[in-house]
Amino acid sequence: MMMTLRLTAMLITSSTLSPLRRFSLHHAWIYHRRSIPTGLLHNNLAMISGNDNEKYRKRYKIHGTGMRSAVEMKTNTGHNLYTDVPVKMGGKDEAPQPVEHLLAALIGCTQATAVYVGRMMKPRLIIERIEFDFEGFRDERGALELPIEQLPAIPARLECITGVTKVHFKKGITPTDEQLMMLKEQTEARCPVANMMLASGCTMNIDWIDGATT
């Protein structure tokens, strides 16, 4: 009973929370209604729908071959990718670093998702182009800490991504602050790359601005 009251209260007030938080509360409610131990919630949020809806799974496949610190890869859609690291890290600096690819993936995913979100909003926000200026950082000790037999005490993931997303809309469209915030929140919640980064604990401090105002 107490669990029901607690979840009900959280869901009633969830309209003031971010999309990601509302997503988690929604699944917590499902777990309770199905008598599933709530301790499994954090590990199985995505699996609730995934196991029941195989037809909705979008799969990605890539093959890679690495030599020293460089890797040449090819996707199952026929595109080639390359990564390398700087000379001081043992590479030849002949291709972007893996984490640079990660930031690039975030930008590409944000672009595609924002265009979709804007098109589905009412009224529609038709996007002509988006300019991105992102910077991320991590603590190198997470990857380099010794002894190698022990897991590092510091996470190796990106800790924070900052920057600006400048959105240029179709001529005649001037979004309100609320519409621009909805575009940002819904894009970050629906973009697979952004969603994964946020779930990892990475902080994203990215300002979304109307390109027509700058």
Side-chain angles (χ1 to χ4, degrees):
M1 180 62 176
M2 288 300 295
M3 180 63 176
T4 300
L5 291 173
R6 199 156 48 240
L7 282 172
T8 301
M10 292 169 72
L11 288 167
I12 289 173
T13 59
S14 66
S15 61
T16 62
L17 301 176
S18 69
L20 287 175
R21 182 61 176 153
R22 291 200 298 272
F23 178 84
S24 298
L25 289 176
H26 171 69
H27 282 80
W29 177 250
I30 291 175
Y31 268 46
H32 173 68
R33 294 287 292 179
R34 295 182 181 179
S35 297
I36 300 173
T38 55
L40 298 177
L41 173 62
H42 296 293
N43 295 327
N44 296 300
L45 283 177
M47 293 178 63
I48 294 176
S49 59
N51 288 340
D52 296 333
N53 299 291
E54 172 66 25
K55 66 179 180 179
Y56 295 113
R57 287 182 175 171
K58 183 173 182 179
R59 299 182 182 275
Y60 305 85
K61 190 174 182 180
I62 190 167
H63 174 78
T65 301
M67 295 290 291
R68 295 180 63 86
S69 295
V71 183
E72 179 178 352
M73 294 155 281
K74 188 167 187 176
T75 69
N76 65 332
T77 51
H79 300 287
N80 295 317
L81 299 171
Y82 305 89
T83 64
D84 201 352
V85 296
V87 174
K88 68 177 182 179
M89 296 174 61
K92 294 184 178 180
D93 200 19
E94 294 180 342
Q97 299 176 64
V99 175
E100 291 172 330
H101 272 280
L102 181 60
L103 288 175
L106 174 61
I107 288 174
C109 190
T110 298
Q111 170 77 31
T113 307
V115 168
Y116 169 77
V117 170
R119 213 168 45 229
M120 294 298 107
M121 289 175 63
K122 296 180 181 180
R124 287 187 172 190
L125 296 182
I126 305 301
I127 296 172
E128 285 196 341
R129 73 181 191 279
I130 304 177
E131 297 178 58
F132 301 91
D133 187 6
F134 288 180
E135 181 178 351
F137 71 83
R138 64 185 177 89
D139 190 321
E140 287 190 311
R141 291 174 295 178
L144 305 178
E145 190 174 74
L146 299 175
I148 205 68
E149 295 82 10
Q150 296 181 11
L151 291 175
I154 297 171
R157 59 165 169 75
L158 283 176
E159 291 185 15
C160 182
I161 299 173
T162 59
V164 175
T165 298
K166 186 184 296 185
V167 188
H168 297 267
F169 297 95
K170 185 178 179 180
K171 186 176 181 179
I173 295 179
T174 303
T176 64
D177 291 342
E178 290 76 15
Q179 289 173 323
L180 194 58
M181 180 57 67
M182 177 179 288
L183 179 65
K184 166 186 166 68
E185 289 187 343
Q186 291 294 339
T187 297
E188 289 184 349
R190 296 167 183 269
C191 166
V193 179
N195 187 262
M196 183 174 63
M197 288 182 170
L198 288 167
S200 77
C202 178
T203 301
M204 292 178 60
N205 295 323
I206 298 172
D207 294 325
W208 286 54
I209 60 176
D210 181 358
T213 63
T214 58

